[in-house]
Amino acid sequence: MLRRGIVLAGGTGSRLFPMTSAVSKQLLPIYDKPMIYYSLSTLLLSDIREILLISTPRDVPLFRELLGDGSRLGIRLEFAVQQRPAGLAEAFLIGESFLDSAPSALVLGDNVFYGEGFSDHLSSASRRGVGATIFSYPVQNPRDFGVVVFDEHGRATDIEEKPEKPKSSSAVVGLYFYDERAPRFARTLTPSARGELEITDLNRRYLETRELYVEQLGRGFAWLDTGTCASMLDATNFVATLQRRQGLRIACLEEIAFRKGWITKTELAAAAARFGASEYGAYLLELPLFM
């Protein structure tokens, strides 16, 4: 069965107040496109074409207006509401009927990934039919993250949530691949002290049966969590610098869909027309000339 995707774009975005007082942080720009484009591009690069976007009652209509039903990208896009932040693992309870016993991938709406060979890591994770795959990235401040611990053979042995004394510097990033059992496991989780269904507890279920795999993103990769003003600025500067120097767009959804053959040259031109005289629209218009 084909893997289906979930983008979790809920929460209050309180660390970005007052910018997010009236709009989801995932609708704020990272340089030339909404933040949500970056997480969606990760699923598209994983060849996932059926996607559920989960957000707040206030913001779902805005995401629907921005993205439509996905047909302009050759995908199917549905929407669901998370009434209040109740943990990342709740995404599998909200999305259980959408997943319909299919394997899944969950990406957080405020994560940006970039690096040569990233698609290879995504393919490796997607090919695994059994178990769960998480992604790790070395950080200088592991106490602020969930951390995965490895044995001498590079196999995951433990996951710690914001440990006081980290045993590793490998942070677990906001991208997770699961087999069809994820909703069933999520239903058995007990809310944490903060009243949430923790994704770390779901990952630990797979770890206990030695079915948790880790794709390690090292040198040459960038993982940016854009949950603060400073990190949003870092991400914007990063994207702006790369795009200006290379002349290529990061997380251009229409380009990904076109290169994968999901939309035609005519549909690409229609997308360019919708974006008018913007640099983004001009980029889409010129794409077929360089392929």
Side-chain angles (χ1 to χ4, degrees):
M1 186 176 291
L2 294 177
R3 191 176 298 272
R4 296 182 176 181
I6 297 178
V7 181
L8 188 54
T12 61
S14 57
R15 291 184 295 170
L16 291 170
F17 281 171
M19 287 192 297
T20 51
S21 297
V23 68
S24 166
K25 67 179 176 181
Q26 288 90 357
L27 289 168
L28 298 177
I30 299 298
Y31 191 50
D32 61 342
K33 61 190 77 70
M35 188 187 297
I36 196 68
Y37 274 42
Y38 296 87
S39 49
L40 277 172
S41 72
T42 298
L43 296 182
L44 268 57
L45 288 170
S46 304
D47 288 321
I48 294 174
R49 299 179 67 178
E50 296 183 83
I51 299 171
L52 177 69
L53 192 150
I54 300 174
S55 191
T56 66
R58 179 195 69 182
D59 295 313
V60 160
L62 300 176
F63 284 110
R64 195 188 302 273
E65 182 178 352
L66 173 69
L67 301 165
D69 62 2
S71 58
R72 294 196 299 255
L73 296 169
I75 66 173
R76 177 169 72 93
L77 186 59
E78 295 189 10
F79 301 86
V81 167
Q82 185 181 42
Q83 293 293 341
R84 63 175 186 85
L88 305 186
E90 190 193 30
F92 293 99
L93 305 185
I94 296 171
E96 185 170 10
S97 61
F98 169 81
L99 293 177
D100 193 25
S101 300
S104 59
L106 170 67
V107 62
L108 305 188
D110 59 357
N111 277 222
V112 175
F113 300 95
Y114 180 81
E116 183 69 28
F118 184 47
S119 291
D120 294 335
H121 284 283
L122 295 174
S123 295
S124 178
S126 196
R127 282 196 302 267
R128 293 191 180 101
V130 178
T133 300
I134 61 176
F135 292 72
S136 71
Y137 187 82
V139 295
Q140 289 186 328
N141 52 334
R143 284 178 295 189
D144 294 339
F145 301 94
V147 172
V148 59
V149 182
F150 300 96
D151 62 18
E152 64 273 16
H153 304 293
R155 189 172 184 89
T157 60
D158 194 14
I159 302 177
E160 306 173 297
E161 185 62 32
K162 296 182 179 179
E164 200 54 45
K165 296 181 178 179
K167 301 175 186 175
S168 164
S169 63
S170 295
V172 179
V173 306
L175 176 61
Y176 317 86
F177 283 66
Y178 296 103
D179 62 19
E180 73 284 352
R181 294 174 292 171
R184 174 155 50 94
F185 287 164
R187 285 198 304 272
T188 69
L189 300 180
T190 301
S192 64
R194 59 180 183 167
E196 297 189 358
L197 298 179
E198 305 290 352
I199 199 73
T200 296
D201 292 337
L202 177 58
N203 292 333
R204 196 170 280 121
R205 287 295 304 270
Y206 286 95
L207 180 67
E208 289 167 355
T209 56
R210 298 180 64 82
E211 295 175 299
L212 181 71
Y213 304 91
V214 184
E215 293 286 330
Q216 299 185 56
L217 306 178
R219 287 180 180 270
F221 285 92
W223 166 56
L224 302 166
D225 176 0
T226 55
T228 67
C229 295
S231 59
M232 278 188 66
L233 180 61
D234 288 343
T236 290
N237 289 334
F238 178 81
V239 171
T241 299
L242 279 174
Q243 290 190 171
R244 284 199 301 264
R245 297 206 173 199
Q246 296 182 344
L248 303 172
R249 286 288 190 275
I250 297 171
C252 179
L253 303 181
E254 294 80 6
E255 178 178 10
I256 296 171
F258 180 62
R259 289 184 181 276
K260 287 185 175 294
W262 300 346
I263 61 174
T264 65
K265 187 182 297 186
T266 300
E267 290 168 320
L268 182 68
R274 280 194 302 273
F275 295 122
S278 68
E279 291 183 6
Y280 191 91
Y283 178 77
L284 296 182
L285 203 57
E286 293 175 358
L287 264 178
L289 302 177
F290 299 97
M291 292 182 63

